[in-house]
Amino acid sequence: MDLTQLPLRVSTGAFILNAGIGKLSADEGTAQFLHQGAKTAFPGVFDDMDPTSFAKLLAISEVGIGALLLAPMVPATVAGAALTGFGVGLMRLYLKSPGMTQADGIRPTQEGTALAKDVWLVGGGLTLMSQGVVRGTKKGAQAVRQGVSFVCPVYNKEAYLESVCAAIAAQEGGFDREFIFVDDGSRDR
């Protein structure tokens, strides 16, 4: 985990983990409330699930997402994808629930402000994902600077070897090249 991600991952991870642990022992009223929200946000998806089972599923999902964010060995792209998905689900609940948005369908009403703030989870998740992608791209570029191995399978293609080597050698870039030719019993030499 990059140290610059620590505040975002710890604050969101601990919050979501705690919320999930709290839902593990949700009473029937809380389970019905959570289930109704899911049915509003995702019509037809959770309709046949009983409220208690849905509350357990949601609780376990939140515990898992919180743990992903807190675990330092989990790559930023994976933690960011989980946080983004969770945030998008909450934003869908905000946008689909009656009375949460003003007439324009985007800006929150006073009642919708508590849910609208979850857009920050989406932003945080996208930030983690982009940092993970950029970091991976930088590592890849560093590896290329150190050298590139070209693996060429050859079988009865002696006539082409010289032009293949010339084409590889002509590649631009300040990196070392390694040529690996894999022959499986050619008969031409």
Side-chain angles (χ1 to χ4, degrees):
M1 176 186 321
D2 189 304
L3 287 178
T4 61
Q5 300 167 4
L6 196 61
L8 175 60
R9 288 182 70 161
V10 169
S11 61
T12 56
F15 187 89
I16 294 169
L17 177 66
N18 184 58
I21 290 170
K23 288 181 182 81
L24 285 172
S25 58
D27 61 30
E28 186 61 33
T30 302
Q32 288 177 355
F33 175 78
L34 295 170
H35 187 242
Q36 185 56 50
K39 290 183 355 183
T40 300
F42 300 96
V45 176
F46 298 108
D47 291 354
D48 294 335
M49 186 178 253
D50 75 277
T52 303
S53 296
F54 174 78
K56 291 274 188 233
L57 174 67
L58 181 60
I60 291 167
S61 299
E62 288 182 1
V63 167
I65 292 167
L68 277 175
L69 288 161
L70 292 170
M73 74 289 288
V74 174
T77 16
V78 174
L83 183 58
T84 301
F86 182 67
V88 166
L90 291 172
M91 288 309 302
R92 185 171 169 100
L93 175 63
Y94 160 70
L95 292 169
K96 294 284 189 179
S97 296
M100 296 291 125
T101 62
Q102 294 185 22
D104 61 10
I106 299 291
R107 292 180 300 134
T109 60
Q110 188 65 35
E111 296 80 22
T113 301
L115 275 175
K117 65 158 178 45
D118 290 330
V119 72
W120 297 334
L121 297 176
V122 176
L126 292 173
T127 297
L128 288 173
M129 286 174 54
S130 62
Q131 284 180 346
V133 168
V134 167
R135 187 170 186 202
T137 303
K138 285 181 182 176
K139 282 185 178 180
Q142 288 171 345
V144 168
R145 275 188 234 117
Q146 294 170 1
V148 176
S149 297
F150 294 90
V151 180
C152 301
V154 292
Y155 180 75
N156 293 333
K157 300 296 180 193
E158 178 185 3
Y160 301 102
L161 289 180
E162 187 176 334
S163 62
V164 168
C165 290
I168 292 172
Q171 298 294 312
E172 294 183 15
F175 52 87
D176 294 330
R177 292 163 183 82
E178 173 184 35
F179 297 80
I180 301 171
F181 294 95
V182 181
D183 186 7
D184 189 22
S186 292
R187 294 189 189 108
D188 58 354
R189 206 188 244 202

